[in-house]
Amino acid sequence: MPFNIILNAVKQPKHQNQRNLNMPFISAISKIDLPFKVTQQETKQQAYEMFSANFPQTERLIFAFDNTEIITRNFCKPLSYYTTPNTFEERNTEYINTTLEYSVQAIEDCVVKAGIKKEDITDLLFVSTTGLATPSMDALIINRLKLNQHVNRSPLFGLGCGGGVSGMAKANTVAKANPDAVVCLVAVELCSLTLIKSDYSKSNFIGSSLFSDGIVAAIVKGDNHGKYQPVQYVASSSKLYYDSLDVMGWDFKDTGFNVLFSKDIPTFIHEHVKEDITEFLDTQGLKLSDIKNFIFHPGGKKVLDAYTNALDLNEQQLCKTRGVMNDYGNMSSATVLYVLERFMSKGYEDGYGLMMAMGPGFSSEMVLLKLTNPTA
């Protein structure tokens, strides 16, 4: 063998070898547009009416609704529902019923898009942090759809906003281990059902300006179902930051889930995100400039501004991410999958795509994809 060929083989970057491995791919994705979509100005008015009598900072903070860049919000119930007194038990029952109805709808649509039968599904991963069910929601879904009784199921709770990317990483890990796998990933977050009407805290008020509801399903297939697909998995990364448990999460009370999040999240992103992405891409022989598609979780305007500044991105590079936030609000784990759906349905640039989200822990989750537009 000529010396220059040997040398090139030694120097070949890691990512160039990825295609020789069993690499799964995202076959299809389906999102739900819920029936009660309302404008941000409508939610602002209702929040003012709900909080003003008992929350002294309402007048000063109400303008937070105008600074989110959110135009419309995705809700599973009409606005009038959230003004009516209810218990945690009642809200959680609504969570179970609504989750089951729309998860089935999303899966059925995704199965058609993926060109498979529901009986082909080998694994079901269910991601959520906004409600509780035992048996878990994946068991309810399998029963309702009459999926194969031997489906491997994995309910993933507590990942919050990071759950969509983490779930996608885990779905691809399953499909990489079993090239015959057909993995169904479902993410459901009904954030509006966690609103506690009697909670007049600042966190609850600010949360009411951001969070919405989302349901999305994706089908990930193993390598034996086809090679060199348009949206192919390359690698993933998960990082937990020590001593940051109080940055984001729930405080569980008798009345339900009290939202906790720190105003320092944008600062945290600015301090860590560039180094974390650089380290991850370096393991794949890539640089930030190799990323052509930024599929990020839009946690809010300040979060997107932090990403933009830390990574020196231009407005166009986050336009689809920002567009999902404008149109839906922050749907926690489901949001980044809505962003991915927008890339897959509206178009992307040939090259690498980076999915990224941060969530309770505090943690960062990343998935590296290779996106290729199908040739005519």
Side-chain angles (χ1 to χ4, degrees), residues 285-299:
L286 298 172
K287 303 185 296 295
L288 184 61
S289 59
D290 292 310
I291 303 301
K292 306 301 180 186
N293 305 278
F294 291 86
I295 310 165
F296 283 11
H297 166 68

PDB file of all heavy atoms in Angstrom, residues 285-299:
ATOM      1  N   GLY A 285     -14.069  15.220  15.319  1.00  0.00           N
ATOM      2  CA  GLY A 285     -13.198  15.829  14.313  1.00  0.00           C
ATOM      3  C   GLY A 285     -13.821  17.023  13.623  1.00  0.00           C
ATOM      4  O   GLY A 285     -13.510  17.322  12.465  1.00  0.00           O
ATOM      5  N   LEU A 286     -14.722  17.718  14.319  1.00  0.00           N
ATOM      6  CA  LEU A 286     -15.447  18.846  13.725  1.00  0.00           C
ATOM      7  C   LEU A 286     -15.208  20.130  14.505  1.00  0.00           C
ATOM      8  O   LEU A 286     -14.763  20.109  15.656  1.00  0.00           O
ATOM      9  CB  LEU A 286     -16.953  18.543  13.706  1.00  0.00           C
ATOM     10  CG  LEU A 286     -17.418  17.343  12.876  1.00  0.00           C
ATOM     11  CD1 LEU A 286     -18.896  17.076  13.134  1.00  0.00           C
ATOM     12  CD2 LEU A 286     -17.163  17.565  11.393  1.00  0.00           C
ATOM     13  N   LYS A 287     -15.547  21.253  13.854  1.00  0.00           N
ATOM     14  CA  LYS A 287     -15.500  22.571  14.480  1.00  0.00           C
ATOM     15  C   LYS A 287     -16.895  23.179  14.411  1.00  0.00           C
ATOM     16  O   LYS A 287     -17.766  22.721  13.662  1.00  0.00           O
ATOM     17  CB  LYS A 287     -14.486  23.475  13.760  1.00  0.00           C
ATOM     18  CG  LYS A 287     -13.075  22.919  13.703  1.00  0.00           C
ATOM     19  CD  LYS A 287     -12.115  23.931  13.075  1.00  0.00           C
ATOM     20  CE  LYS A 287     -12.463  24.215  11.608  1.00  0.00           C
ATOM     21  NZ  LYS A 287     -12.286  23.020  10.741  1.00  0.00           N
ATOM     22  N   LEU A 288     -17.082  24.247  15.172  1.00  0.00           N
ATOM     23  CA  LEU A 288     -18.377  24.920  15.177  1.00  0.00           C
ATOM     24  C   LEU A 288     -18.769  25.374  13.770  1.00  0.00           C
ATOM     25  O   LEU A 288     -19.943  25.328  13.390  1.00  0.00           O
ATOM     26  CB  LEU A 288     -18.338  26.122  16.135  1.00  0.00           C
ATOM     27  CG  LEU A 288     -19.653  26.887  16.319  1.00  0.00           C
ATOM     28  CD1 LEU A 288     -20.741  25.968  16.890  1.00  0.00           C
ATOM     29  CD2 LEU A 288     -19.444  28.092  17.235  1.00  0.00           C
ATOM     30  N   SER A 289     -17.782  25.776  12.982  1.00  0.00           N
ATOM     31  CA  SER A 289     -18.060  26.240  11.619  1.00  0.00           C
ATOM     32  C   SER A 289     -18.584  25.124  10.713  1.00  0.00           C
ATOM     33  O   SER A 289     -19.132  25.396   9.637  1.00  0.00           O
ATOM     34  CB  SER A 289     -16.796  26.855  11.008  1.00  0.00           C
ATOM     35  OG  SER A 289     -15.741  25.909  10.989  1.00  0.00           O
ATOM     36  N   ASP A 290     -18.447  23.867  11.134  1.00  0.00           N
ATOM     37  CA  ASP A 290     -18.971  22.747  10.351  1.00  0.00           C
ATOM     38  C   ASP A 290     -20.475  22.562  10.531  1.00  0.00           C
ATOM     39  O   ASP A 290     -21.108  21.827   9.761  1.00  0.00           O
ATOM     40  CB  ASP A 290     -18.260  21.442  10.739  1.00  0.00           C
ATOM     41  CG  ASP A 290     -16.792  21.423  10.328  1.00  0.00           C
ATOM     42  OD1 ASP A 290     -16.512  21.735   9.157  1.00  0.00           O
ATOM     43  OD2 ASP A 290     -15.941  21.097  11.175  1.00  0.00           O
ATOM     44  N   ILE A 291     -21.042  23.195  11.544  1.00  0.00           N
ATOM     45  CA  ILE A 291     -22.475  23.049  11.808  1.00  0.00           C
ATOM     46  C   ILE A 291     -23.250  24.011  10.911  1.00  0.00           C
ATOM     47  O   ILE A 291     -23.079  25.216  10.969  1.00  0.00           O
ATOM     48  CB  ILE A 291     -22.798  23.318  13.288  1.00  0.00           C
ATOM     49  CG1 ILE A 291     -21.989  22.381  14.186  1.00  0.00           C
ATOM     50  CG2 ILE A 291     -24.292  23.157  13.539  1.00  0.00           C
ATOM     51  CD1 ILE A 291     -22.220  20.901  13.940  1.00  0.00           C
ATOM     52  N   LYS A 292     -24.122  23.444  10.088  1.00  0.00           N
ATOM     53  CA  LYS A 292     -24.909  24.239   9.151  1.00  0.00           C
ATOM     54  C   LYS A 292     -26.346  24.437   9.615  1.00  0.00           C
ATOM     55  O   LYS A 292     -27.049  25.305   9.099  1.00  0.00           O
ATOM     56  CB  LYS A 292     -24.917  23.574   7.772  1.00  0.00           C
ATOM     57  CG  LYS A 292     -23.533  23.279   7.211  1.00  0.00           C
ATOM     58  CD  LYS A 292     -22.696  24.543   7.087  1.00  0.00           C
ATOM     59  CE  LYS A 292     -21.307  24.241   6.531  1.00  0.00           C
ATOM     60  NZ  LYS A 292     -20.437  25.444   6.529  1.00  0.00           N
ATOM     61  N   ASN A 293     -26.798  23.608  10.563  1.00  0.00           N
ATOM     62  CA  ASN A 293     -28.188  23.649  11.018  1.00  0.00           C
ATOM     63  C   ASN A 293     -28.216  23.611  12.548  1.00  0.00           C
ATOM     64  O   ASN A 293     -27.838  22.607  13.152  1.00  0.00           O
ATOM     65  CB  ASN A 293     -28.957  22.454  10.455  1.00  0.00           C
ATOM     66  CG  ASN A 293     -28.872  22.368   8.935  1.00  0.00           C
ATOM     67  OD1 ASN A 293     -29.607  23.028   8.222  1.00  0.00           O
ATOM     68  ND2 ASN A 293     -27.955  21.533   8.442  1.00  0.00           N
ATOM     69  N   PHE A 294     -28.656  24.702  13.158  1.00  0.00           N
ATOM     70  CA  PHE A 294     -28.697  24.815  14.610  1.00  0.00           C
ATOM     71  C   PHE A 294     -30.128  24.536  15.080  1.00  0.00           C
ATOM     72  O   PHE A 294     -31.015  25.363  14.937  1.00  0.00           O
ATOM     73  CB  PHE A 294     -28.227  26.193  15.059  1.00  0.00           C
ATOM     74  CG  PHE A 294     -26.763  26.421  14.825  1.00  0.00           C
ATOM     75  CD1 PHE A 294     -26.305  26.898  13.594  1.00  0.00           C
ATOM     76  CD2 PHE A 294     -25.830  26.126  15.810  1.00  0.00           C
ATOM     77  CE1 PHE A 294     -24.949  27.087  13.364  1.00  0.00           C
ATOM     78  CE2 PHE A 294     -24.470  26.324  15.591  1.00  0.00           C
ATOM     79  CZ  PHE A 294     -24.030  26.800  14.363  1.00  0.00           C
ATOM     80  N   ILE A 295     -30.311  23.338  15.633  1.00  0.00           N
ATOM     81  CA  ILE A 295     -31.634  22.853  16.031  1.00  0.00           C
ATOM     82  C   ILE A 295     -31.690  22.936  17.555  1.00  0.00           C
ATOM     83  O   ILE A 295     -31.540  21.947  18.268  1.00  0.00           O
ATOM     84  CB  ILE A 295     -31.851  21.420  15.510  1.00  0.00           C
ATOM     85  CG1 ILE A 295     -31.519  21.335  14.018  1.00  0.00           C
ATOM     86  CG2 ILE A 295     -33.279  20.950  15.780  1.00  0.00           C
ATOM     87  CD1 ILE A 295     -31.346  19.923  13.488  1.00  0.00           C
ATOM     88  N   PHE A 296     -31.899  24.136  18.068  1.00  0.00           N
ATOM     89  CA  PHE A 296     -31.776  24.409  19.493  1.00  0.00           C
ATOM     90  C   PHE A 296     -33.150  24.532  20.156  1.00  0.00           C
ATOM     91  O   PHE A 296     -34.134  24.921  19.520  1.00  0.00           O
ATOM     92  CB  PHE A 296     -31.007  25.708  19.728  1.00  0.00           C
ATOM     93  CG  PHE A 296     -29.508  25.583  19.540  1.00  0.00           C
ATOM     94  CD1 PHE A 296     -28.935  24.457  18.974  1.00  0.00           C
ATOM     95  CD2 PHE A 296     -28.676  26.616  19.922  1.00  0.00           C
ATOM     96  CE1 PHE A 296     -27.561  24.353  18.797  1.00  0.00           C
ATOM     97  CE2 PHE A 296     -27.289  26.532  19.761  1.00  0.00           C
ATOM     98  CZ  PHE A 296     -26.733  25.386  19.197  1.00  0.00           C
ATOM     99  N   HIS A 297     -33.182  24.225  21.439  1.00  0.00           N
ATOM    100  CA  HIS A 297     -34.391  24.440  22.228  1.00  0.00           C
ATOM    101  C   HIS A 297     -34.512  25.930  22.542  1.00  0.00           C
ATOM    102  O   HIS A 297     -33.617  26.507  23.167  1.00  0.00           O
ATOM    103  CB  HIS A 297     -34.321  23.657  23.537  1.00  0.00           C
ATOM    104  CG  HIS A 297     -35.360  24.079  24.534  1.00  0.00           C
ATOM    105  ND1 HIS A 297     -36.703  23.856  24.344  1.00  0.00           N
ATOM    106  CD2 HIS A 297     -35.251  24.738  25.724  1.00  0.00           C
ATOM    107  CE1 HIS A 297     -37.376  24.350  25.375  1.00  0.00           C
ATOM    108  NE2 HIS A 297     -36.515  24.888  26.224  1.00  0.00           N
ATOM    109  N   PRO A 298     -35.611  26.566  22.125  1.00  0.00           N
ATOM    110  CA  PRO A 298     -35.775  27.998  22.400  1.00  0.00           C
ATOM    111  C   PRO A 298     -36.414  28.230  23.760  1.00  0.00           C
ATOM    112  O   PRO A 298     -37.633  28.355  23.893  1.00  0.00           O
ATOM    113  CB  PRO A 298     -36.695  28.460  21.261  1.00  0.00           C
ATOM    114  CG  PRO A 298     -37.515  27.248  20.938  1.00  0.00           C
ATOM    115  CD  PRO A 298     -36.669  26.038  21.257  1.00  0.00           C
ATOM    116  N   GLY A 299     -35.598  28.280  24.797  1.00  0.00           N
ATOM    117  CA  GLY A 299     -36.118  28.436  26.144  1.00  0.00           C
ATOM    118  C   GLY A 299     -36.760  29.783  26.404  1.00  0.00           C
ATOM    119  O   GLY A 299     -37.516  29.940  27.354  1.00  0.00           O
TER     120      GLY A 299
END
